[in-house]
Amino acid sequence: MPDIHPSVPSNILEVSLASPGITVLGFRMPAFEPKQRALKRRTWNWLFGEADRLRAGSTLIVGDFNTAPDDSEALCGDCLEKLIQSGWQHRPASGYSWRHPQSGTERQIDHIFLSASLVPRRVEYSWEFKRLAVCTKNQILQYW
Protein backbone atom coordinates (compact mmCIF):
# COMPACT_ATOMS: atom_id res chain seq x y z
CA MET A 1 0.00 0.00 0.00
CA PRO A 2 1.21 3.47 -0.71
CA ASP A 3 2.60 5.51 2.17
CA ILE A 4 1.14 8.83 1.02
CA HIS A 5 -1.51 9.67 3.60
CA PRO A 6 -3.34 7.57 6.24
CA SER A 7 -6.59 7.78 4.25
CA VAL A 8 -5.21 6.22 1.07
CA PRO A 9 -4.74 2.50 1.99
CA SER A 10 -8.29 2.09 3.29
CA ASN A 11 -9.60 3.35 -0.07
CA ILE A 12 -7.95 0.61 -2.15
CA LEU A 13 -9.03 -2.99 -2.71
CA GLU A 14 -7.64 -5.40 -5.29
CA VAL A 15 -9.49 -8.63 -6.05
CA SER A 16 -8.48 -11.33 -8.50
CA LEU A 17 -11.18 -13.64 -9.82
CA ALA A 18 -9.69 -16.98 -10.90
CA SER A 19 -12.60 -17.59 -13.22
CA PRO A 20 -12.92 -15.72 -15.60
CA GLY A 21 -9.41 -14.47 -14.83
CA ILE A 22 -10.19 -10.83 -14.15
CA THR A 23 -8.52 -8.49 -11.68
CA VAL A 24 -10.51 -5.61 -10.21
CA LEU A 25 -8.79 -2.71 -8.53
CA GLY A 26 -11.35 -0.76 -6.54
CA PHE A 27 -10.20 2.72 -5.77
CA ARG A 28 -11.45 5.88 -4.10
CA MET A 29 -9.34 9.02 -4.28
CA PRO A 30 -9.56 10.74 -0.91
CA ALA A 31 -11.09 14.20 -1.18
CA PHE A 32 -7.94 16.02 -0.18
CA GLU A 33 -8.29 19.62 1.01
CA PRO A 34 -6.82 22.31 -1.28
CA LYS A 35 -3.74 22.68 0.95
CA GLN A 36 -3.11 18.91 0.48
CA ARG A 37 -3.43 19.02 -3.34
CA ALA A 38 0.09 17.58 -3.77
CA LEU A 39 -1.12 14.41 -2.03
CA LYS A 40 -3.73 13.91 -4.73
CA ARG A 41 -1.03 14.07 -7.44
CA ARG A 42 1.15 11.64 -5.44
CA THR A 43 -1.82 9.24 -5.14
CA TRP A 44 -2.41 9.48 -8.89
CA ASN A 45 1.28 8.71 -9.48
CA TRP A 46 0.94 5.60 -7.32
CA LEU A 47 -2.14 4.61 -9.35
CA PHE A 48 -0.20 5.02 -12.62
CA GLY A 49 2.33 2.50 -11.33
CA GLU A 50 -0.43 0.03 -10.45
CA ALA A 51 -2.05 0.58 -13.85
CA ASP A 52 1.28 -0.23 -15.54
CA ARG A 53 1.56 -3.41 -13.46
CA LEU A 54 -2.01 -4.52 -14.31
CA ARG A 55 -2.36 -3.35 -17.93
CA ALA A 56 -1.27 -6.63 -19.60
CA GLY A 57 -3.97 -8.68 -17.87
CA SER A 58 -7.76 -8.57 -17.94
CA THR A 59 -8.23 -5.76 -15.47
CA LEU A 60 -10.79 -3.19 -14.38
CA ILE A 61 -9.85 -0.14 -12.33
CA VAL A 62 -13.09 1.21 -10.91
CA GLY A 63 -14.17 3.77 -8.40
CA ASP A 64 -14.52 7.32 -7.23
CA PHE A 65 -11.51 9.23 -8.52
CA ASN A 66 -12.77 12.64 -7.33
CA THR A 67 -11.49 13.91 -10.69
CA ALA A 68 -13.56 14.95 -13.70
CA PRO A 69 -12.40 15.02 -17.33
CA ASP A 70 -12.74 18.82 -17.47
CA ASP A 71 -10.82 19.47 -14.25
CA SER A 72 -7.72 21.63 -14.50
CA GLU A 73 -4.24 20.14 -14.33
CA ALA A 74 -3.96 21.58 -10.82
CA LEU A 75 -6.93 19.36 -9.88
CA CYS A 76 -5.40 16.36 -11.72
CA GLY A 77 -7.79 16.48 -14.69
CA ASP A 78 -4.84 15.51 -16.90
CA CYS A 79 -4.50 12.22 -15.01
CA LEU A 80 -7.59 10.68 -16.59
CA GLU A 81 -6.20 11.41 -20.05
CA LYS A 82 -2.83 9.97 -19.04
CA LEU A 83 -4.46 6.61 -18.23
CA ILE A 84 -6.28 6.64 -21.57
CA GLN A 85 -3.08 7.48 -23.46
CA SER A 86 -1.32 4.58 -21.76
CA GLY A 87 -3.82 2.12 -23.24
CA TRP A 88 -6.74 2.03 -20.82
CA GLN A 89 -10.32 2.28 -22.09
CA HIS A 90 -12.37 4.86 -20.19
CA ARG A 91 -16.07 4.42 -19.40
CA PRO A 92 -18.73 5.76 -19.15
CA ALA A 93 -18.19 8.08 -22.09
CA SER A 94 -20.87 10.53 -21.00
CA GLY A 95 -23.21 11.38 -18.15
CA TYR A 96 -22.40 12.27 -14.58
CA SER A 97 -21.97 10.51 -11.26
CA TRP A 98 -22.29 13.41 -8.84
CA ARG A 99 -24.58 16.41 -8.63
CA HIS A 100 -24.06 19.31 -6.25
CA PRO A 101 -27.09 19.44 -3.92
CA GLN A 102 -27.52 23.22 -4.10
CA SER A 103 -26.23 24.36 -7.50
CA GLY A 104 -27.08 21.21 -9.45
CA THR A 105 -23.63 21.17 -11.06
CA GLU A 106 -23.00 17.74 -12.57
CA ARG A 107 -19.59 16.06 -12.52
CA GLN A 108 -18.22 12.81 -13.85
CA ILE A 109 -15.93 11.75 -11.00
CA ASP A 110 -16.59 8.00 -10.89
CA HIS A 111 -14.87 6.03 -13.63
CA ILE A 112 -14.10 2.60 -15.01
CA PHE A 113 -10.84 1.91 -16.81
CA LEU A 114 -10.62 -1.37 -18.70
CA SER A 115 -7.49 -3.03 -20.00
CA ALA A 116 -7.30 -3.60 -23.77
CA SER A 117 -8.24 -7.29 -23.47
CA LEU A 118 -11.71 -6.46 -22.14
CA VAL A 119 -14.59 -5.46 -24.41
CA PRO A 120 -17.23 -3.36 -22.70
CA ARG A 121 -20.80 -3.93 -23.86
CA ARG A 122 -22.72 -1.29 -21.97
CA VAL A 123 -21.45 1.06 -19.31
CA GLU A 124 -23.48 4.02 -18.12
CA TYR A 125 -24.30 6.01 -15.03
CA SER A 126 -27.68 5.19 -13.58
CA TRP A 127 -29.68 7.40 -11.25
CA GLU A 128 -32.45 4.79 -11.02
CA PHE A 129 -31.82 4.45 -7.28
CA LYS A 130 -33.47 7.84 -6.77
CA ARG A 131 -36.74 6.44 -8.08
CA LEU A 132 -36.38 3.19 -6.16
CA ALA A 133 -35.46 4.72 -2.81
CA VAL A 134 -37.66 7.77 -2.48
CA CYS A 135 -37.82 8.96 1.10
CA THR A 136 -38.12 12.22 2.97
CA LYS A 137 -35.42 13.97 4.94
CA ASN A 138 -37.29 13.09 8.16
CA GLN A 139 -37.31 9.39 7.22
CA ILE A 140 -33.55 9.51 6.69
CA LEU A 141 -32.99 11.28 10.00
CA GLN A 142 -35.21 8.75 11.81
CA TYR A 143 -33.21 5.90 10.30
CA TRP A 144 -29.91 7.32 11.51
Side-chain angles (χ1 to χ4, degrees), residues 2-141:
D3 186 24
I4 297 169
H5 185 270
S7 65
V8 175
S10 63
N11 285 292
I12 301 167
L13 177 65
E14 184 175 326
V15 177
S16 294
L17 307 170
S19 177
I22 292 177
T23 298
V24 178
L25 178 64
F27 176 76
R28 180 189 168 276
M29 175 67 72
F32 293 114
E33 299 294 324
K35 65 183 176 188
Q36 297 177 314
R37 193 166 286 151
L39 296 176
K40 185 173 184 179
R41 179 67 62 171
R42 285 184 58 205
T43 305
W44 268 107
N45 287 335
W46 170 84
L47 185 61
F48 293 146
E50 292 303 296
D52 286 345
R53 176 180 67 84
L54 296 167
R55 183 182 12 263
S58 295
T59 304
L60 298 163
I61 302 174
V62 301
D64 179 352
F65 292 73
N66 275 313
T67 306
D70 58 346
D71 282 353
S72 68
E73 187 173 326
L75 296 175
C76 299
D78 60 308
C79 294
L80 299 171
E81 187 59 33
K82 186 172 180 179
L83 276 179
I84 295 166
Q85 289 175 355
S86 69
W88 290 88
Q89 305 170 71
H90 176 241
R91 298 293 189 276
S94 62
Y96 63 94
S97 57
W98 182 83
R99 178 185 289 157
H100 191 279
Q102 283 79 36
S103 70
T105 302
E106 299 169 350
R107 293 178 36 84
Q108 184 184 28
I109 60 172
D110 299 281
H111 307 278
I112 300 174
F113 291 92
L114 301 96
S115 61
S117 65
L118 298 175
V119 179
R121 292 190 182 162
R122 180 178 172 186
V123 181
E124 62 186 39
Y125 294 115
S126 173
W127 286 82
E128 189 67 13
F129 71 90
K130 292 190 75 111
R131 184 185 65 79
L132 297 173
V134 176
C135 57
T136 67
K137 184 177 179 180
N138 286 339
Q139 289 171 318
I140 293 170
L141 292 174

